[in-house]
Amino acid sequence: MYDFAIIGGGIVGLATGMALMEKYPHARLVVLEKESSLAYHQTGHNSGVIHSGIYYKPGSLKARLCREGSQSIVEFCQKYNIAHEVCGKVIVATQEKELPLLENLYQRGLENGLKVAKITAEQVKEIEPYVTCLAGIQVFTTGIVDYRQVCQKYGELIQSQGGEICLGTKVEKIIATDNSQILETNKGKFETKFIINCAGLYSDRIAKLGNANPEAKIIPFRGEYYELVPEKRYFVKGLIYPVPNPAFPFLGVHFTRMIDGSVHAGPNAVLSLKREGYKKTDFDLRDFSEIIAYPGLWKLAAKYADEGIQEIIRSFSKAAFVRSLQQLIPEVQAEDVVPAGAGVRAQALMNDGKLVDDFLIIQAKNTLHVCNAPSPAATSSIEIGRAIAEQISLS
């Protein structure tokens, strides 16, 4: 009999396990991960950015946990000698119509208690010499890290405190009894007093297995990247972002220097026809049927039709993708970038077509379901784990 069973070995599941073992050092805890390694999906395919929290609605979970998490993740990396860098970033306006949006974003940064500064085009050039813009914001607390390494350390800490991690273990059924719950997996049964669902792209399905109603469906969006060829990495010193369109839920293509020195450009955001569809050709009939039949998707598509078409064009046209990059750095040419990997974002969508824009945590009897934890969940992971642990008492 376990006290806690966590479904999902991504960064949120592992951070939750770590927080629970800190709170209840004598508890019996197991993390069940269906893949052969930790951080296999969203965590292992993200851009490696330690976000500041500038984009998020003041007072939201995202804003608070990201601001706090950007500090705690850096302290964690310092403590365990994990390579990271607080390099800061610039967000730039390249068109006159973006200047009011840039000002709004700056004010939001101040509301969220962040260290931010308005800077001129000339000051942007001092930070990023190849950027052409009208004005910018410097965000000082943004950084970079390899979240796979962070997850490995989370996992080591769980195990060092007596927790278990079971890889290649897929949850197929949840059976509630009077005093416990039984997780039926491809590797046998696990009995537990409490379940924490951190299954990411499958969190809504796991919630339904546990007879909970998440009131939202996970819609997978693939983000495709290019990277600068090594001899052109000098174009980018740190992180360069455009002003996001406030009417669109994604940040737009940007430049990110990774902790290994490579520079990624992207991502776009296109509907994936498979929940773990990292390639354009990936297709799963069940996933596709669920997505297409969901009314919320069609309402979302109608609302963002123009933006969605542009994202699809960028997906199939390198020239269109490069033109987006040239809005930030005009000198970038098609031969300067090569295709890099892609990630798939688990985005919760309501039936009415509204995107769930905050972290969504649903509590039911002896279970807790994390049903929306896209970016900045990796940055916020330590704080999300602590917040979940605070909601759970060991009776």
Side-chain angles (χ1 to χ4, degrees):
M1 168 75 83
Y2 291 95
D3 295 300
F4 305 112
I6 296 170
I7 304 171
I11 199 163
V12 173
L14 294 168
T16 299
M18 192 170 64
L20 285 169
M21 293 306 292
E22 288 174 2
K23 185 177 179 183
Y24 301 110
H26 302 295
R28 288 204 67 197
L29 180 145
V30 64
V31 177
L32 306 177
E33 167 55 50
K34 70 183 176 69
E35 303 295 353
S36 58
S37 64
L38 300 174
Y40 195 90
H41 288 292
Q42 286 188 99
T43 305
H45 290 83
N46 71 23
S47 60
V49 175
I50 300 171
H51 289 285
S52 65
I54 191 170
Y55 300 111
Y56 313 117
K57 183 179 178 181
S60 65
L61 274 177
K62 276 189 177 182
R64 178 171 65 82
L65 298 182
C66 186
R67 184 185 67 245
E68 295 169 1
S70 65
Q71 297 176 34
S72 54
I73 198 82
V74 168
E75 291 167 1
F76 183 88
C77 291
Q78 290 170 341
K79 183 176 181 179
Y80 294 105
N81 296 314
I82 297 170
H84 68 287
E85 182 184 346
V86 182
C87 53
K89 76 172 179 182
V90 293
I91 305 170
V92 300
T94 58
Q95 303 174 55
E96 286 283 345
K97 65 180 181 181
E98 293 175 341
L99 291 174
L101 302 178
L102 189 73
E103 176 63 26
N104 292 343
L105 197 58
Y106 171 71
Q107 293 299 330
R108 174 161 285 193
L110 295 178
E111 286 182 67
N112 284 335
L114 304 179
K115 185 182 178 183
V116 292
K118 288 194 284 188
I119 52 177
T120 64
E122 292 73 25
Q123 290 171 313
V124 171
K125 284 277 189 189
E126 292 174 11
I127 301 166
E128 294 289 352
Y130 293 91
V131 170
T132 297
C133 68
L134 300 177
I137 300 171
Q138 186 173 9
V139 186
F140 294 90
T141 53
T142 303
I144 52 176
V145 72
D146 181 345
Y147 283 115
R148 282 182 184 270
Q149 290 184 23
V150 173
C151 280
Q152 290 304 317
K153 180 53 67 174
Y154 285 1
E156 289 172 17
L157 291 171
I158 289 170
Q159 291 173 316
S160 71
Q161 292 177 283
E164 298 174 39
I165 295 175
C166 297
L167 300 175
T169 306
K170 182 179 180 181
V171 174
E172 297 170 340
K173 194 173 183 181
I174 299 174
I175 301 168
T177 67
D178 288 341
N179 300 311
S180 68
Q181 299 188 73
I182 297 168
L183 298 171
E184 292 190 358
T185 78
N186 60 325
K187 290 191 175 177
K189 296 180 180 180
F190 295 78
E191 189 173 9
T192 184
K193 294 177 183 176
F194 202 100
I195 294 171
I196 303 98
N197 165 19
C198 299
L201 284 154
Y202 291 94
S203 57
D204 56 341
R205 287 187 188 170
I206 294 293
K208 287 179 180 177
L209 286 182
N211 292 317
N213 180 13
E215 297 183 352
K217 183 175 288 293
I218 294 295
I219 302 296
F221 286 93
R222 186 174 60 256
E224 298 158 335
Y225 287 87
Y226 284 85
E227 68 174 304
L228 288 176
V229 296
E231 56 269 26
K232 292 299 175 75
R233 289 176 182 171
Y234 65 85
F235 281 151
V236 178
K237 292 187 177 297
L239 308 176
I240 306 164
Y241 282 64
V243 180
N245 178 353
F248 195 54
F250 302 101
L251 295 180
V253 295
H254 47 270
F255 290 95
T256 307
R257 179 166 61 83
M258 312 291 278
I259 200 67
D260 65 3
S262 62
V263 176
H264 283 209
N268 59 354
V270 293
L271 183 69
S272 176
L273 304 183
K274 180 181 179 182
R275 291 207 181 199
E276 294 165 354
Y278 298 103
K279 300 175 183 175
K280 292 182 180 70
T281 53
D282 284 343
F283 178 84
D284 180 270
L285 183 58
R286 180 185 175 186
D287 293 348
F288 172 75
S289 300
E290 278 188 5
I291 293 166
I292 293 301
Y294 190 56
L297 176 70
W298 295 103
K299 293 169 185 173
L300 179 76
K303 185 176 180 180
Y304 297 118
D306 292 344
E307 293 91 344
I309 289 168
Q310 291 304 312
E311 296 291 337
I312 293 169
I313 290 171
R314 268 197 287 264
S315 177
F316 287 94
S317 168
K318 181 179 182 179
F321 205 110
V322 170
R323 282 196 295 273
S324 295
L325 299 176
Q326 288 171 335
Q327 291 178 15
L328 298 172
I329 300 180
E331 292 185 46
V332 171
Q333 301 299 316
E335 60 269 22
D336 298 333
V337 294
V338 294
V344 179
R345 172 184 175 132
Q347 175 63 57
L349 178 65
M350 305 297 285
N351 195 57
D352 61 4
K354 291 182 180 177
L355 292 159
V356 179
D357 64 357
D358 205 356
F359 298 137
L360 177 62
I361 300 173
I362 298 169
Q363 197 155 8
K365 183 184 178 183
N366 299 327
T367 60
L368 188 146
H369 303 277
V370 182
C371 288
N372 193 58
S375 182
T379 300
S380 313
S381 56
I382 292 173
E383 302 304 326
I384 294 173
R386 288 171 178 165
I388 289 172
E390 285 173 9
Q391 295 183 45
I392 299 171
S393 59
L394 186 58
S395 56

